[in-house]
Amino acid sequence: MSFLVSRAMKDKLAARAVRLCAVGTCSLAVVIMIALAAKSWPLLASVRLPDLVVSDEWRPLAGRFGFRAFIIGTLLVTAGAGAIAVPISVLCALYLAEYCSSRFRAAVAPVMDLMAAIPSVVYGMWGILAVVPAVRFIARLCGSPSSGYSVLAASCVLAVMIIPYMAHLCLELFMGVPRGMIEASLSLGAGRWHTVKHVILRRTLPGIGAAVGLALCRALGETMAVLMVAGNVPMVPASLFDPVYPLPALIANSYGEMMSVRKYEAALMFAALLLLALVLSLSLASRRPFLRIERSVD
C-alpha cells in the first residue's frame, strides 16, 4: 500500500512539474511583452501611439521618433522574401515527396536541415559578396543606379535563409497525405500532376499557408544577415533598389550607442515591442490552420 501511495505521489509531483514548465513557457512571451512595454513607457507617455507609428521622422537628438519607415521596411523585406521563397519551397517539397526516388530524398533532406542550421552571419557575408553586386548590376540595367544594398538584396538573402525551413515543413505535410488517396486518384486515370494539384495541394493548402506563416515569423526577426545587406537608411523605400532599415537592424545597430540621448532607449524598446507584436500576430494566425491540418492527417 505504501508503495502505491509513494508512486501516486510521484505521479502528482511529476504532473505538477510538467504543468508548471508548460505554463512558464507559454507565459514567457507575455512577460517579455510586459517588460518591453514598461521600458517603453517614457516614450509612450509623451507621444501618442498613432504618431509613433505613422510618422517617418527619425531624429533622436531632437526627440523625434517615427517608426513608419522601419515598419514598412520590415514588412517589405519579409514580403519580398516570401514572394521568392514560397514557390521555390513548395515546388522543392513536391519534387521530393512525389517525383524523386526515396534514395534521393533521403540524401537531400539532411542537406536541407544543414542549410537551415548555417549561421545568419555566413548568409550575410555571402550576400555582400554575391547578392549585392548582382543587385547593383541589375539596377544599372534597369536605369536605376544603386549601391546594391537594398530591399531586393535583403529579400534575396532572407529568402535563401528560410527556403530550407519552409521546404521541410511542406515536405512533412505532403508526406502526411494518405497514400490511399493518391493511389486512388492514379488508379482512376489521373496523371501525376493532376493528382498533385487536386489531391495533395488541395488537402494540404491550409497547412501550406501555416508553414509559410511560420517561416515568415522567422524572417521577421532575422537580424544579422539583413543588417549586412539592407543599407540601413531610415527612409521609406520607393523601389526595390532603395536601401531599407528593418526593425531588427535598428535595434542591433543602435542599442548601446547614444544611450545618453533622452528617450532613445525607450524608443528602441518600443521597436522591440513592435517587432514582437508582429511576430506573435503572424505566428498565432498561422498556427491555427496548421493544427487543423495535423488533426485531419491523424
Side-chain angles (χ1 to χ4, degrees):
M1 181 65 68
S2 61
F3 172 74
L4 294 177
V5 172
S6 175
R7 188 170 64 179
M9 184 69 69
K10 290 180 180 178
D11 289 342
K12 289 182 179 180
L13 291 175
R16 290 176 181 176
V18 172
R19 188 182 303 113
L20 180 63
C21 292
V23 172
T25 302
C26 295
S27 62
L28 184 59
V30 178
V31 173
I32 294 174
M33 185 170 289
I34 293 174
L36 291 175
K39 295 290 288 185
S40 306
W41 186 249
L43 180 65
L44 294 173
S46 59
V47 184
R48 295 191 310 141
L49 181 60
D51 293 337
L52 290 173
V53 175
V54 173
S55 173
D56 56 4
E57 185 179 8
W58 182 259
R59 292 192 296 159
L61 294 177
R64 304 288 185 178
F65 300 97
F67 289 89
R68 178 170 171 264
F70 303 105
I71 296 173
I72 292 177
T74 304
L75 296 178
L76 280 178
V77 170
T78 305
I84 298 171
V86 169
I88 296 175
S89 301
V90 173
L91 292 176
C92 176
L94 280 175
Y95 176 75
L96 292 176
E98 296 301 322
Y99 289 94
C100 72
S101 64
S102 58
R103 179 179 297 180
F104 182 80
R105 180 169 59 247
V108 171
V111 176
M112 285 199 312
D113 296 337
L114 179 63
M115 288 183 62
I118 295 176
S120 60
V121 68
V122 176
Y123 282 109
M125 292 300 299
W126 167 76
I128 292 175
L129 295 176
V131 178
V132 170
V135 171
R136 187 186 304 125
F137 177 73
I138 294 173
R140 191 178 298 115
L141 290 180
C142 295
S144 179
S146 170
S147 65
Y149 296 89
S150 59
V151 177
L152 183 58
S155 298
C156 291
V157 173
L158 198 55
V160 172
M161 292 184 64
I162 64 175
I163 282 174
Y165 180 71
M166 193 184 301
H168 179 80
L169 291 177
C170 291
L171 178 60
E172 293 296 325
L173 288 169
F174 298 153
M175 295 297 292
V177 176
R179 300 306 302 177
M181 296 179 61
I182 299 174
E183 292 172 359
S185 176
L186 295 174
S187 66
L188 291 174
R192 175 67 65 178
W193 173 246
H194 190 276
T195 300
V196 167
K197 181 180 179 181
H198 294 282
V199 177
I200 297 177
L201 288 179
R202 179 171 294 182
R203 181 176 177 82
T204 59
L205 186 60
I208 294 173
V212 170
L214 292 175
L216 293 182
C217 285
R218 294 191 62 180
L220 273 172
E222 184 54 50
T223 304
M224 186 54 65
V226 175
L227 181 152
M228 297 172 71
V229 299
N232 303 327
V233 177
M235 56 175 283
V236 177
S239 72
L240 293 176
F241 303 115
D242 288 340
V244 68
Y245 209 163
L247 286 169
L250 169 67
I251 299 169
N253 267 339
S254 303
Y255 200 82
E257 300 179 4
M258 299 176 65
M259 287 296 102
S260 60
V261 177
R262 186 170 176 264
K263 298 179 184 178
Y264 196 83
E265 184 179 10
L268 295 181
M269 291 297 176
F270 180 71
L273 183 62
L274 282 175
L275 184 61
L276 180 60
L278 289 173
V279 172
L280 288 179
S281 300
L282 184 57
S283 179
L284 292 175
S286 62
R287 282 300 299 171
R288 187 173 181 179
F290 194 61
L291 293 175
R292 185 166 65 250
I293 196 68
E294 284 181 343
R295 286 195 295 267
S296 66
V297 170
D298 294 337

